[in-house]
Each structure stands twice: as structure tokens, then as C-alpha cells.
Amino acid sequence: MAGGTADQGRLDLDLSTTDPIPAEPTGGAGSDRLGLPVGSRVVRVLPDLAAIDRPFDYLVPPAWADDGRGERLVVGSRVRISLAGRRVGGWVLEDNVVPPPGVELRQLTKSSGLGPSSEVIDLARWASHRWAGRLNGLLGTASPSNVVESLPRPPSRPTVQPTVNTWGMRAFQVQQTIVRLPPDADVVPLAIEAARKGDALVLLPTVSAAEKMAARLHSKGLPVSLAQRQWAQSASGGLVVGSRSAALAPVGNLAAVVVVDEHDENYQEERAPTWHARDLAIERARRAGIPCVLTSPSPSLEALEWGELVVPSRKEERDGWPILDLHDRRDDDPMRSGLLGPRLVEILRGAEGDPVVCVLNRRGRSRLLACNACGSLVRCSEHQVPLIQEDEDMLSCPVDGARRPQVCDECGASRFKNLRAGVARLREELEALAGRPALEVTGDTDVTDGGLTGHAVYIGTEALLYRVDSAARVVFLEFDQELLAPRMRAAEQAMALLIRAARLVGGRSSGGRLVVQTRMPEHEVLQAVLHADPGRLAEAELARRRLLNLPPWSALAKVSGPPAGEFIARLGSPDGIDLMGPRDGAWLVRAPDHGRLSEVLAAVERPKGRLRIEVDPPRA
């Protein structure tokens, strides 16, 4: 059977017993004091099973020493083992270990090639503690998708000319730099400057953005590989470009790290552990003693507290932001105008160019209805939440999706007032106002057949901003719901939407224009974009977060799931820890810093069941 550390022994998957099972006597002239054959090699393996987060010891088969597999077996190698009657994968965490006495060891069953380096394994250990998750999930992200037996030769190093950008040269003069670039700025000079340092890692928020960056760098004659897709090539050296998972990718001799658009939420893993690629890249650079450069049109508060801010010239930054038209709707008649203000007519009818992209983060025909006869809100009788009108005849509950006819429970009437329209209803109104067809786009819209081209007017949720390549105008129909969202990071998330929209229309030097309908024109997010000065937002947000003792002045974790109450009860009331909740079955745990938060969460024995712990929850 498998053996290992002092808490292993049983082979059923709950592995709840910590006493090792004694091995039968195997001593003899050819055995050592532990009963192992003389010259035996023992490795410690972490199984690739979500239910198990501790390693087991295994013998390396003697035959591997003869056929070369033993020589290729190193820390990080992927292997297959027999565990609890199953053949499962795993990673070698330690080599030449001394197993505990009294445990009979099984042999490794298969070599599955190379895996993460010892440095990446140590980084993953840190991340699993920092984000209160399991190590094997992080090692899975750090491993190749296929079997890699050996690495190619390192690429030749081309001569890289220094960048002519002043901010690009300044960025690498210190170890920790955050560069505030306008939305339409080209970040390729930063990647080239990183290549001058040697092997470098460049992170971007999405796979498509990474592919475009890799293609541009390759066209300049630089050795480039896409992380994960070209794992072996990445490990051999050169420029490694990728999205979130690339923070754990192999890099030959890492000399510099660049994180583009560090504010983007795509860098945070949704599955537990909810690690953040930006913070992982920062820690990786710190351990290697190399420069790390973050970029963003509006840096996050965490980034501003971490590094030295570098800003381009005032003219360059201003030209890189689009013109912002604020449509102040405080004087509009709310009973007559609805969501489409009178100033939109000229824009929608094509007087200012095509296409026009209209954004409203509400799906369906209506998100809030009232009976036209008695005035009662239309709510689900079971969950007491507003019903949604997905089409003209049916209502649905947003909690469980149950559908019912369009009839008022109070008086039986079938006609309703639309108090809060969704994108489906707005599409109909847009078409009537614009006098031409409008295409509705949400996250579920199929774009594989190129159906998003050739339209003059689009209406959709924020997913639309990622599904069109360019626009003459981007119109936010009800931006106040973003500014007033009941979330800690609502202002930063609203700014991220404007940044994404700004890249569709381009900078003011090329005529780029955003349109925002609002009743809060003085809000710091809108003023920051209006004046092309993101510092206005950062200053207000830092003061607000400091006053409320919210990150980056503290550390947060969200605990949810059926056993969350039991976990919180076991947590108790440690010194310096604040508990908030429950709200919707979840609690917030606040600590003075991440070190203390990780320490407290790790000290609690987790109850059985699907417990979810989100460290740094983006939507809290």
C-alpha cells in the first residue's frame, strides 16, 4: 500500500484515519532498517484528487533506473499512482524522502512527463495558503495539457533595441512599478523592454488579447510562446505570453514580469482557491528579485499601494481617452422619457456615425413590473422577488426559473406597467426610435457565425463590449445602476466598463466618443473620464475605503455554502477578526492583513460539505 507522512494510512477517499497501517516484516540481508530494498528511492506524491490535499510516499520502480525514466523523474514530475483501488495522477513534491516506519510502500505505476518546477511548486504552496485553497488545483493549472518528456533547446536571443517611450524606459528602473496608460495606448513597447531584460512573462486579461500580443511580438522577430498551449517552449525560454493561468507557467530564466490591465476581473480565478494572477505574478517576481511592471488606464487601489506610479505626459494621457458626453437626465420627465433620453435620437439615427453600441446590464423585456389595474408589484409568491418578463406572454422567477402566465395575483389583471425595462424590451424601443433594426446581444448570443457584423445599432449587456471590435459611439443607457451597485468595488468596476468601451471608440485624437446617461454627473468615476484623470477616482476611493476599513486597508474572505454556518461557529472570535453576516447564507471575514486572514482560515477544521471560501471576493 501507499505510505507517507504521519497522517496517512487508509486508502479510502475520505482518508480520515491518521494512524499508518503496519507493514508485514520484510527485513533481511538485502533490506535497510525500514524494510526497504537497499538502494530504494522513495518520492512523495500529491494526488490529483480534489478530495485529497496531502501527499503519499511511493517507491520508484527499480526498472526505471535502467530505462532512463528514473533519471527524468524530478521534483514536479507528473506520475500515476495506485490509491484507494484507483489509478490517479499526481505530482512529485519531494525526492529521496525517508518514509515513516511500519508502512508498506507501493511503486509508482507510470511516468507522465514533466510538470511544474520546484520554484513554481513553492509559489503554488504560498498561493494555496494565501487564498485558503488546495494545492493540487494550482498544480493542475501549472502543468502541461499533454505529456512533455523533454524541453527543446533554448531560443537564440535576438538583439532588442530599447524603446523610445519615456514611460517605457522608466517602468523598469525600479522593481515595483505601476504604469497608468490611457485606454488606447500600445503596451507592446513594455513587452519589448521586458525582452531586453531576458526571458520575460507577459500577462493579459483574455486569451484573445494574449494571442494578438504574441502575434505582434513574433512579427518583430522575438522568440514568443503562448503559455499552456506551448508549455515546453515556454519552459525553454524567451517571451512567455498568456492570460490568467500563465502566472504559473514555466519560464526559462525569468528576468521580468509585465501584467497588462491589472484592474481586469478576468485575472481572478472563479473556482476555489480564488487566486489572483496579478498578485501571484507580483509574488513570483519578488521571489526572483526581478522587476514587475503593472499597467492600467485606472490602476486598482491594491496596485497603487504596492508600487511606484509612472504616468505618461498629460497630453498623451488626455489624447488616449475618448470624449465623454454626459446626458444629465435630472430634468427629464421620468414618466414620459423612460430609459431613452431625447438627446439619443440623433445618435441612434446615424447622424454621428455607425455602429452605435447601447449597453444596459439588464436582460429580458422587464426586470420590474407593476399591475396596471391595482398597482401591485408582480412578485414570486414563493421567493417574494420581482418576476421577470422574458417574453410577451410569460413571467419567470429569477431564483429557480419557474414560469407562469402573465396574470396579477392580487386582482387577476393581465396588463402591466414596465418600471424597469431589460435589453429585450429596449431593443423594440430602440428600433422605433432609430427607424432601423437593432441587434440584441447578451452573454448567450452565438457569435461563431459572424452574426455581429454589418449592423448599425446594437443593444445588450456588458458582454456586448467584448463581442464587437469597434464602434462609432458607445451609449450607456442607465449607468447609475453601475455607480450605485451594492458592492465594495462598484466604482472600480464601473470604471472598467468605461475603459472597455473607450477601446472600442478610440481616443479623442481619433474622434472617440462615449455617451453616458446619468443623474449623477458629478460622480468621481464620470469626472475622472471626463477630465482624462483617473487620479480623481483613486483619491476618492482610497479615502472611502480607509474610512470603512476595507481593502487594501484590510483583507476579506467570503464564506458560503451549506456548511458555512458550522465553519463560522468553529472559527469563533479570534483577536483582530471581524465577522459580518449572514447575508444570503454567506459571511464576510475581515482581518487586518492577508497574513492574519490566511492564518485564521487555515486553523479552522473544515466541516464536510460543499464549503466555498473566496479570498478577495470581487463582488462583495
Side-chain angles (χ1 to χ4, degrees):
M1 61 168 285
T5 56
D7 63 351
Q8 67 188 28
R10 287 185 60 182
L11 290 185
D12 49 33
L13 290 184
D14 63 18
L15 299 170
S16 56
T17 300
T18 59
D19 297 327
I21 299 177
E24 296 181 359
T26 55
S31 303
D32 63 14
R33 63 182 180 85
L34 295 175
L36 299 175
V38 174
S40 294
R41 180 182 175 189
V42 180
V43 293
R44 189 153 289 161
V45 178
L46 178 67
D48 187 10
L49 290 173
I52 301 177
D53 194 32
R54 68 171 187 260
F56 295 82
D57 294 344
Y58 285 83
L59 281 169
V60 178
W64 289 20
D66 300 328
D67 60 18
R69 283 180 290 178
E71 183 179 354
R72 295 193 297 271
L73 187 71
V74 296
V75 171
S77 291
R78 297 194 297 167
V79 294
R80 292 195 70 81
I81 57 177
S82 178
L83 182 65
R86 298 172 55 187
R87 293 287 182 90
V88 299
W91 298 270
V92 174
L93 297 186
E94 298 178 58
D95 196 359
N96 294 309
V97 302
V98 178
V103 176
E104 184 180 356
L105 303 184
R106 286 184 173 180
Q107 293 185 355
L108 301 174
T109 61
K110 183 180 180 181
S111 172
S112 300
L114 297 176
S117 66
S118 58
E119 291 80 11
V120 171
I121 290 175
D122 287 340
L123 180 66
R125 281 197 180 102
W126 171 85
S128 67
H129 180 69
R130 162 71 168 76
W131 282 281
R134 295 190 181 277
L135 175 60
N136 42 27
L138 289 154
L139 295 185
T141 301
S143 300
S145 57
N146 56 344
V147 175
V148 176
E149 295 289 356
S150 61
L151 300 180
R153 296 180 59 183
S156 58
R157 298 194 179 279
T159 302
V160 184
Q161 298 299 319
T163 179
V164 296
N165 298 79
T166 303
W167 50 262
M169 292 185 291
R170 288 173 55 199
F172 289 93
Q173 292 177 356
V174 295
Q175 295 289 88
Q176 300 177 187
T177 308
I178 171 69
V179 185
R180 195 178 77 195
L181 296 175
D184 76 338
D186 188 5
V187 295
V188 167
L190 271 181
I192 294 176
E193 193 66 19
R196 294 185 66 238
K197 301 287 183 182
D199 298 339
L201 176 63
V202 182
L203 300 184
L204 294 103
T206 64
V207 174
S208 61
E211 291 173 345
K212 292 176 182 177
M213 172 66 78
R216 292 188 62 189
L217 293 173
H218 181 74
S219 68
K220 296 181 181 297
L222 296 175
V224 184
S225 55
L226 277 168
Q228 308 309 101
R229 188 180 304 176
Q230 298 170 303
W231 193 93
Q233 186 177 332
S234 299
S236 67
L239 271 172
V240 179
V241 180
S243 55
R244 178 179 61 230
S245 61
L248 290 166
V251 185
N253 185 19
L254 187 62
V257 174
V258 177
V259 182
V260 179
D261 282 350
E262 59 81 23
H263 68 275
D264 199 297
E265 285 188 2
N266 284 313
Y267 281 125
Q268 184 145 22
E269 175 62 66
E270 295 181 357
R271 300 167 298 178
T274 55
W275 55 273
H276 200 293
R278 174 200 61 210
D279 298 338
L280 207 56
I282 287 173
E283 176 66 14
R284 188 171 183 176
R286 186 195 68 78
R287 291 173 175 232
I290 60 175
C292 179
V293 177
L294 313 180
T295 80
S296 172
S298 181
S300 65
L301 302 190
E302 286 78 6
L304 291 173
E305 287 299 298
W306 164 80
E308 179 178 325
L309 181 63
V310 172
V311 182
S313 68
R314 184 69 189 121
K315 182 181 185 305
E316 187 175 357
E317 186 169 30
R318 184 174 177 81
D319 288 347
W321 282 89
I323 296 171
L324 176 63
D325 291 334
L326 292 177
H327 289 191
D328 188 350
R329 305 207 61 199
R330 287 176 293 184
D331 295 330
D332 291 353
D333 183 349
M335 301 302 295
R336 293 172 179 261
S337 56
L339 280 175
L340 303 180
R343 297 172 63 186
L344 290 181
V345 176
E346 186 177 0
I347 297 174
L348 294 173
R349 292 185 177 177
E352 300 188 41
D354 292 331
V356 177
V357 171
C358 299
V359 179
L360 176 66
N361 269 335
R362 290 203 299 264
R363 300 175 65 170
R365 286 175 54 84
S366 178
R367 308 296 291 193
L368 187 63
L369 291 166
C371 177
N372 201 42
C374 68
S376 299
L377 290 178
V378 181
R379 295 186 295 177
C380 174
S381 58
E382 180 178 354
H383 302 103
Q384 295 301 305
V385 297
L387 292 172
I388 297 172
Q389 185 185 36
E390 299 288 359
D391 52 49
E392 292 186 0
D393 300 319
M394 300 296 292
L395 303 174
S396 64
C397 175
V399 176
D400 59 11
R403 292 168 62 85
R404 48 162 279 190
Q406 187 170 298
V407 177
C408 176
D409 286 338
E410 299 294 330
C411 68
S414 59
R415 298 185 62 186
F416 299 98
K417 297 175 183 178
N418 194 346
L419 302 182
R420 188 178 296 168
V423 293
R425 175 62 180 170
L426 260 294
R427 179 188 60 79
E428 300 165 7
E429 295 185 18
L430 279 172
E431 289 183 340
L433 189 62
R436 48 186 179 164
L439 180 66
E440 177 189 345
V441 180
T442 66
D444 297 330
T445 303
D446 185 9
V447 298
T448 56
D449 58 356
L452 294 189
T453 60
H455 295 271
V457 180
Y458 299 88
I459 171 69
T461 60
E462 65 181 83
L464 178 55
L465 299 177
Y466 294 87
R467 299 192 169 208
V468 296
D469 296 326
S470 62
R473 298 289 182 271
V474 175
V475 181
F476 288 91
L477 296 174
E478 190 175 344
F479 201 66
D480 293 348
Q481 72 173 20
E482 310 298 337
L483 300 175
L484 298 176
R487 300 188 296 265
M488 176 186 68
R489 303 181 187 275
E492 289 183 326
Q493 290 159 354
M495 174 63 93
L497 287 178
L498 294 174
I499 290 171
R500 180 62 191 172
R503 288 184 172 145
L504 297 184
V505 300
R508 69 185 62 207
S509 57
S510 59
R513 217 172 190 96
L514 297 179
V515 180
V516 173
Q517 293 192 147
T518 179
R519 289 177 172 83
M520 305 172 62
E522 298 305 319
H523 195 283
E524 54 266 18
V525 170
L526 299 177
Q527 288 297 308
V529 177
L530 182 67
H531 296 279
D533 181 10
R536 293 175 179 242
L537 170 60
E539 182 179 354
E541 272 293 285
L542 278 170
R544 186 180 299 116
R545 300 268 192 92
R546 187 193 295 269
L547 179 64
L548 298 174
N549 192 25
L550 293 173
W553 312 113
S554 63
L556 285 179
K558 182 180 179 181
V559 182
S560 60
E566 185 178 350
F567 181 91
I568 294 297
R570 293 181 181 182
L571 177 66
S573 303
D575 292 340
I577 301 298
D578 298 323
L579 295 179
M580 295 168 279
R583 179 183 177 185
D584 298 329
W587 284 258
L588 285 179
V589 182
R590 179 169 61 189
D593 52 56
H594 283 102
R596 177 61 176 153
L597 180 64
S598 300
E599 175 188 353
V600 167
L601 295 176
V604 181
E605 181 182 356
R606 299 197 180 186
K608 292 184 178 180
R610 298 185 66 85
L611 180 74
R612 177 172 173 81
I613 298 179
E614 298 175 71
V615 177
D616 305 328
R619 298 273 163 170

